[in-house]
Structure formats: structure tokens, C-alpha cells
Amino acid sequence: VLLPRVSAPGLNIATRALVEELALTLEPTNRFTGSSRVSAPGINLQRPAGWLPALAFRADLEFDERAIDLSAGLGSIKQGELFSMSAHYLVDAAELTGRLRSNNIDFNATDKRLSGYFANWPYDWDILKGEIALNTHFVWPGNAQTPTLGARIRSEWRNVSGNYAELVFTELNASAVAEYAFPDKLITPENAFATLGRLDVGVPIEDISASFRINTKRRELHLPSLEARLFGGRVWTDNSRLRANRASNRMDIGVDGLQLAQVLEHTGYEAIEATGDLRGLLPLDIGAGGVTMQRGMLAARPPGGVFRYRAELATHTNAALAQLSEVLSNYHYSIFQVEADY
């Protein structure tokens, strides 16, 4: 066994490996050498939830009694090789080192969306546009007391657009360095950065920028900074930490410059027009039960603004109603404040 003590519970593999070429040589010095070309046109992986997208693999190997060198390609059956890999294995030490990098993976909505790379795509998310670059160095220190497959991963996302179910995002640019330890530890040892042109969640959020750190072992997301444009204003949070196994995660959302006119337009109050902008604080609590808010507050910035009620009222028989209609048709305010729990 090349990599001892590696297991993947719940994962079934169905494939056929073809040895296309094989050459063996015994040199006069009794040194044994060889080379081979191996391919697997369909690597099918099944998890309890179903089959994963099928992969294709080919590899050229050179070997002797001391080491194995590998040059390989990994990709999809439909689109060919997406990744290139090189690796070096020391037999006596049972040590593996190598590199995996992407081969200029670019997408477009016409004929190169991510789901189109594979015959089977069981996910409700997709990438429709942009480029992704990945460079990974990995090592298996086989003779270590507790051998663990580890990797250092550098990734870049350039102008990527796509969707997750009904959520649509555009112009994602991101850069991150991560460290991985088998089977489930992934951390970003330094801040990663991302910008997003637009995220449509039913409300359009624009010009999103964030710095973040991930630790899957602790199930934690750290946000040193996050800000975006919403309804013509700015929303942000600083130094928030979200941990999945924590009953309560506090996240304070600052708000400044929200245009009241855009808020009313989006909420469907067609009979009301307004001017003015809002600022405030939304203290969110995120836990297993969902998102709650207590004493969130939004208030108009001085000098206030104007409300205009445009619906027609039956005022010809009611003088008081006629007076109210006149006031509401051009109501100037200097103080406007909303407090809310959720």
C-alpha cells in the first residue's frame, strides 16, 4: 500500500484502469527500472447522497526500486484535462510530495459553464463566467508518527459569475491561501480577500468587499471586514466571528446612507414617495435556530426629508380626511426613527 492508513468512509469508487504501455529493464548493475502509461477514462465516485461528477485520469510513470515519479492529468470526460499533477514517491520512506495546478480553467455561459464540463452534475450551483486558477503543493510524510496528507493551496478567482439555487452573483474576484490536513481540516492562515460586483438575494447587494479567514476544524468563519452597497447606502461589519457549533454568534451591522426612496420602491409601497436617508445599527444574533435581532434601529439623518402619499382618497364627503390627504401629499419630517425586533 503506497499511502498506509488512508480511508474514506462512505465513499465508493467504480472505475477501470488501463495500462496502455509498460516497459521493464534490468540493468547490468541489477538496478531495476521501468516506465508505464496508465489511464482511467471514467472515475466514478459515490457518496451516500449520490454519484459525484465523473472524472478522467491519465498518468505517465517512471520508477525503480527506490522511487516513483508521476506526471498526470485529471479532468472531465467531456472537456479533457482540467488539472496537471506531478508527484515523487520515495518507497523506503513511504513519502509522497507533489504539485497539482489548474490548466487555465475559464468559463462562459454559452458552452463552457462548469456544469457543462461533466455528463452528470448533481448540484444546484453553477459557474457561468470567469477564470479560476489553483496551485497546490501536497505532502504525505509516510514514516511520521501520525502520517497525515497535507497541502498548501493557493487559489485565484477572476471575474467569476454564477448562481447558487436562486441566488445570482457576478464579478467575483478573490485570492486565498489555505492549508489542508486530511480528512477535514482547512484553514486560511492569513486573511483572504474577495470582492463581488453584485449578489441578488431578492434585494440587490452591490460592491461587496470582504477579508476573511476559515477554520473548518473549529467550524469558524472570521470576518475582519465586510462591507457592501445596499439601497444606495453602505452596510458593514467589522471583526465578526461565526462558529457553527456556538449557540449564539453576535454580528453588528452598521448602516449609513440608505435611500428611503429605494427602500420603499423595493418593498412595493407604490402609493408612497419619500426622500431622505437612513443610518443605524442592526444587532444580529446567528445560531442554530436561525437569525434574530433585538432593538435594531434605523433613523433619518438631518435635516430629514419628505413623504408624499399619492393614492386617491374619497375626500369630497369628509373635510377631515381632505385635510389629512393634503398634509400627506407633502409631509416634511425632521425626525424619523424605526426600532425593530426580528
Side-chain angles (χ1 to χ4, degrees):
V1 178
L2 294 183
L3 300 180
R5 296 186 290 281
V6 175
S7 63
L11 180 65
N12 294 322
I13 301 176
T15 188
R16 180 180 61 177
L18 304 177
V19 180
E20 299 178 5
E21 298 178 10
L22 178 62
L24 302 174
T25 302
L26 183 61
E27 298 180 354
T29 58
N30 289 327
R31 180 171 177 261
F32 169 76
T33 63
S35 63
S36 178
R37 169 164 290 186
V38 179
S39 66
I43 303 174
N44 300 286
L45 306 176
Q46 184 186 35
R47 298 194 69 98
W51 290 96
L52 302 180
L55 300 173
F57 176 80
R58 62 89 196 155
D60 293 313
L61 298 96
E62 295 184 356
F63 50 88
D64 57 25
E65 66 272 16
R66 295 170 296 180
I68 302 173
D69 288 297
L70 176 145
S71 175
L74 180 68
S76 70
I77 299 172
K78 292 181 65 177
Q79 294 285 351
E81 292 183 3
L82 303 177
F83 299 93
S84 297
M85 182 172 68
S86 59
H88 180 70
Y89 180 75
L90 295 174
V91 176
D92 290 341
E95 179 180 282
L96 175 71
T97 58
R99 179 184 178 188
L100 176 72
R101 62 180 179 84
S102 59
N103 294 338
N104 299 321
I105 305 176
D106 63 284
F107 306 95
N108 65 67
T110 304
D111 59 356
K112 293 186 69 176
R113 62 178 61 198
L114 179 59
S115 60
Y117 278 60
F118 301 92
N120 169 46
W121 186 254
Y123 310 112
D124 58 355
W125 59 272
D126 207 349
I127 295 177
L128 310 179
K129 178 185 175 183
E131 300 178 28
I132 297 177
L134 181 73
N135 196 340
T136 301
H137 293 267
F138 57 88
V139 61
W140 173 269
N143 284 342
Q145 184 173 0
T146 307
T148 300
L149 179 63
R152 185 171 178 87
I153 307 163
R154 180 179 297 275
S155 65
E156 292 189 9
W157 299 53
R158 308 183 191 102
N159 299 319
V160 174
S161 300
N163 69 282
Y164 179 81
E166 300 300 320
L167 303 183
V168 178
F169 63 89
T170 60
E171 302 302 319
L172 170 62
N173 291 275
S175 177
V177 174
E179 295 177 353
Y180 171 77
F182 184 86
D184 60 358
K185 183 179 179 181
L186 179 73
I187 65 170
T188 49
E190 56 194 56
N191 286 351
F193 300 91
T195 61
L196 192 60
R198 182 183 175 98
L199 176 64
D200 195 336
V201 295
V203 175
I205 307 172
E206 300 176 317
D207 298 335
I208 303 168
S209 63
S211 61
F212 60 93
R213 291 192 180 193
I214 297 171
N215 188 324
T216 59
K217 193 69 174 181
R218 300 177 61 182
R219 302 179 68 190
E220 181 180 86
L221 171 64
H222 178 207
L223 294 168
S225 66
L226 172 65
E227 68 173 273
R229 302 288 296 179
L230 176 66
F231 295 133
R234 173 175 171 260
V235 296
W236 74 92
T237 186
D238 293 320
N239 202 31
S240 295
R241 291 181 184 270
L242 305 176
R243 193 173 294 176
N245 55 0
R246 183 185 291 166
S248 175
N249 295 278
R250 176 70 177 263
M251 176 183 285
D252 291 335
I253 306 295
V255 177
D256 189 34
L258 261 66
Q259 299 300 303
L260 190 54
Q262 294 187 30
V263 175
L264 292 175
E265 179 182 354
H266 183 80
T267 53
Y269 289 102
E270 298 179 357
I272 302 177
E273 296 177 358
T275 63
D277 55 84
L278 306 175
R279 62 183 176 185
L281 180 67
L282 306 177
L284 304 182
D285 193 285
I286 304 171
V291 180
T292 60
M293 179 177 66
Q294 292 187 345
R295 302 195 67 180
M297 187 274 291
L298 293 176
R301 293 200 302 185
V306 177
F307 281 106
R308 297 185 179 92
Y309 187 70
R310 294 305 189 189
E312 293 185 5
L313 299 177
T315 62
H316 59 280
T317 59
N318 190 317
L321 192 59
Q323 186 178 8
L324 176 62
S325 178
E326 183 178 352
V327 171
L328 292 179
S329 66
N330 195 34
Y331 180 75
H332 291 257
Y333 68 89
S334 58
I335 298 176
F336 177 73
Q337 182 171 311
V338 177
E339 293 188 8
D341 294 338
Y342 174 79

